[in-house]
Amino acid sequence: MLKIISPLACVLLLVACQQVPEEAPREDKAARGQVLAYDEPYRPQFHFSPAAKWMNDPNGMVYYEGEYHLFYQHYPDSTVWGPMHWGHAVSADLVNWQHLPIALYPDSIGDIFSGSAVIDWDNTSGLAPAGEVPMVAIFTYHNMAGEKRGDLDFQTQGIAFSLDKGRSWTKYEGNPVIPNPGIKDFRDPKVFWHDATKSWVMIFARGDRVQIYRSPNLKEWTLASEFGEDQGSHGGVWECPDLFPLRLADSEEEKWIMIVSLGRGGANGGSATMYFIGDFDGTTFTNNNPAETVLWLDYGTDNYAGVTWSDVPKEDGRRLFMGWMSNWHYATVVPTEKWRSAMTMARDLQLKDTEAGLRMVSVPVKEMTKLRESPQMLAAREIAGRSLLTEGSPLAEYELHFEYDPEDPPQKWGLRFSNDQGEEYIFGLDAKAKEFFTDRTNAGKTNFSKHFAKVHTAPRICTNNSVRLHIYLDVASIEIFADNSEVAFTEIFFPTEPFGKLEAFSEGGTIKLSSGTLYPLKKMQITTLAK
């Protein structure tokens, strides 16, 4: 447990104060099988990571009969990127996970790149016997030999289906269902059922834009429209798009959100995810903002290729998201050995009316509260200069809530996480520049990439002096949600020993830290199938 040094600063975020309704008891499917220790250096304790070897983009996320399925880009023979497979895990609660065998393997058409999965409730595809419901995966085939020859048509779209809740898969004999028309980057299909037009819709990346196709049966597809030639950022190739409706909070107004990831050219360099807010009629997406407007889902450099779960029950009502917690600038060289990469926490995407207009925010899913242990309540005080807040046990596996009110707004204020080796990770607000910032230039091991040790910034939307923070700190990562999630940072770091000290600092003024709460978090449970 942490030792609290005098009354701390901080306020319990209102969202965190809300009680999560108790759920009816149910069998924990993830509790079967062998429980994994997950005790290697830098191994996350409440973020999903592969049991071993390489992982990148989340794929095929779909909910069916009490299970959240997470497929992911996986190379089972190395800790660096190689011929892609679809790894597979399931969860009953988005917190605890069970590893399942690899779902899709490369074949004569190609490797299995990113894609999505849906439940074909009416068996429009005819892939299931009468009376049964298939789970259908839609993915990109990548022909490595064709790429090496210099061909342009080495990426095509294929499908596979499962009749046993994703445990075994059969590839469609008519693959590919969308051949390549001679485009080098032609990948990452995300499919959903559009009820208004009674058709399947597929959005996927085509170079530095997206294309939208339609189908009555998941097998025969027709090009419907294209979006993005003169929209948003073009700092890199577009990847892993998604398209879905969101209802404005406390309103009947509904907008369509298009998510697009960029391999390079993010707000703070390297990989990042942007989004558009607009309208969709089943054929064409129309952006409601000026073409040059770029909205970033996350200002950290470690939230990439994220997409949302299909078939979440209507009574749940959430749009659930998860991203890959890394960056192509350094993903293959980070200092882990048995495994590489993790996913972000699952997040609930919401549409809010902010001072800057409509914005999408990402809120940690309510299921994360299941990991909370007895809270440490913190009293208020004023801070000018530097003030030690906590020290003692490692700060890994903690959820923190703060609220501060400047007495006379300081030039800068923030939080400093550090250890006895002098390593530190800093988050703060530069009031003059009106921007949040993070600093991992001295957060531990950084010599594996020239792109890693950087300061990252994000404009502050809210103009209120009071600032609320909701923070999740794992062994080697942090997820920060500021101003009720109007700004998010997701960052990884590699300290040589865990951070065990937390300080608040204020430069050029005084901040008042109101009451707050620290929650130690239990480790998630990760299991494999029983042998």
Side-chain angles (χ1 to χ4, degrees), residues 184-260:
K184 181 180 178 182
D185 297 297
F186 188 74
R187 58 179 178 264
D188 308 340
K190 183 66 162 68
V191 171
F192 62 94
W193 176 257
H194 189 252
D195 197 55
T197 58
K198 303 300 180 186
S199 64
W200 294 101
V201 173
M202 176 191 293
I203 179 172
F204 64 88
R206 176 219 184 279
D208 65 346
R209 64 203 70 176
V210 298
Q211 288 187 330
I212 295 173
Y213 278 64
R214 294 178 58 181
S215 172
N217 57 16
L218 294 170
K219 297 183 292 187
E220 299 163 339
W221 294 91
T222 303
L223 177 63
S225 64
E226 188 173 280
F227 172 84
E229 180 180 6
D230 59 350
Q231 305 280 320
S233 174
H234 291 265
V237 173
W238 288 20
E239 295 185 308
C240 302
D242 199 351
L243 182 62
F244 52 86
L246 276 186
R247 180 162 292 179
L248 180 63
D250 303 317
S251 169
E252 294 301 311
E253 183 179 2
E254 184 178 81
K255 288 294 179 182
W256 282 78
I257 308 297
M258 181 184 292
I259 288 178
V260 177

Side-chain angles (χ1 to χ4, degrees), residues 252-281:
E252 294 301 311
E253 183 179 2
E254 184 178 81
K255 288 294 179 182
W256 282 78
I257 308 297
M258 181 184 292
I259 288 178
V260 177
S261 289
L262 294 117
R264 297 183 185 275
N268 282 296
S271 311
T273 302
M274 63 181 172
Y275 68 94
F276 302 91
I277 301 174
D279 300 297
F280 180 65
D281 61 6

Side-chain angles (χ1 to χ4, degrees), residues 105-112 141-146 156 171 175:
Y105 287 80
D107 59 32
S108 60
I109 302 178
D111 299 339
I112 312 298
Y141 269 120
H142 183 97
N143 188 298
M144 192 65 72
T156 58
K171 291 171 183 169
N175 279 335

Side-chain angles (χ1 to χ4, degrees), residues 94-384:
L94 295 168
V95 175
N96 302 296
W97 293 90
Q98 182 180 56
H99 290 293
L100 295 178
I102 290 172
L104 296 175
Y105 287 80
D107 59 32
S108 60
I109 302 178
D111 299 339
I112 312 298
F113 271 29
S114 290
S116 55
V118 295
I119 306 302
D120 185 7
W121 294 102
D122 295 325
N123 196 22
T124 62
S125 61
L127 294 172
E132 294 191 41
V133 175
M135 180 184 292
V136 182
I138 308 96
F139 54 88
T140 294
Y141 269 120
H142 183 97
N143 188 298
M144 192 65 72
E147 181 184 19
K148 290 180 178 179
R149 284 195 304 268
D151 299 344
L152 293 178
D153 60 353
F154 55 84
Q155 292 184 337
T156 58
Q157 317 311 314
I159 63 175
F161 64 96
S162 172
L163 303 178
D164 59 359
K165 298 178 64 175
R167 269 57 179 181
S168 63
W169 290 86
T170 302
K171 291 171 183 169
Y172 176 53
E173 62 184 11
N175 279 335
V177 294
I178 301 181
N180 189 304
I183 299 169
K184 181 180 178 182
D185 297 297
F186 188 74
R187 58 179 178 264
D188 308 340
K190 183 66 162 68
V191 171
F192 62 94
W193 176 257
H194 189 252
D195 197 55
T197 58
K198 303 300 180 186
S199 64
W200 294 101
V201 173
M202 176 191 293
I203 179 172
F204 64 88
R206 176 219 184 279
D208 65 346
R209 64 203 70 176
V210 298
Q211 288 187 330
I212 295 173
Y213 278 64
R214 294 178 58 181
S215 172
N217 57 16
L218 294 170
K219 297 183 292 187
E220 299 163 339
W221 294 91
T222 303
L223 177 63
S225 64
E226 188 173 280
F227 172 84
E229 180 180 6
D230 59 350
Q231 305 280 320
S233 174
H234 291 265
V237 173
W238 288 20
E239 295 185 308
C240 302
D242 199 351
L243 182 62
F244 52 86
L246 276 186
R247 180 162 292 179
L248 180 63
D250 303 317
S251 169
E252 294 301 311
E253 183 179 2
E254 184 178 81
K255 288 294 179 182
W256 282 78
I257 308 297
M258 181 184 292
I259 288 178
V260 177
S261 289
L262 294 117
R264 297 183 185 275
N268 282 296
S271 311
T273 302
M274 63 181 172
Y275 68 94
F276 302 91
I277 301 174
D279 300 297
F280 180 65
D281 61 6
T283 299
T284 303
F285 176 83
T286 304
N287 185 12
N288 288 170
N289 289 304
E292 67 275 10
T293 299
V294 181
L295 304 176
W296 298 105
L297 184 141
D298 195 307
Y299 282 88
T301 55
D302 297 298
N303 185 353
Y304 187 66
V307 288
T308 63
W309 263 275
S310 299
D311 294 280
V312 173
K314 289 183 179 179
E315 57 270 24
D316 182 306
R318 294 178 295 174
R319 177 58 59 171
L320 299 172
F321 168 96
M322 182 177 280
W324 175 45
M325 198 159 60
S326 197
N327 191 301
W328 281 118
H329 267 329
Y330 42 75
T332 61
V333 293
V334 294
T336 62
E337 296 180 359
K338 179 181 177 181
W339 55 279
R340 273 215 175 96
S341 299
M343 298 298 182
T344 69
M345 293 185 303
R347 302 181 183 185
D348 177 10
L349 299 182
Q350 301 173 11
L351 188 62
K352 287 180 56 178
D353 194 0
T354 72
E355 294 181 45
L358 295 184
R359 292 292 185 269
M360 185 173 68
V361 302
S362 51
V363 179
V365 294
K366 63 185 180 182
E367 288 86 347
M368 284 297 298
T369 60
K370 295 175 61 173
L371 297 181
R372 288 177 179 173
E373 299 197 280
S374 298
Q376 302 173 28
M377 307 305 294
L378 309 169
R381 68 168 163 181
E382 294 183 351
I383 293 178

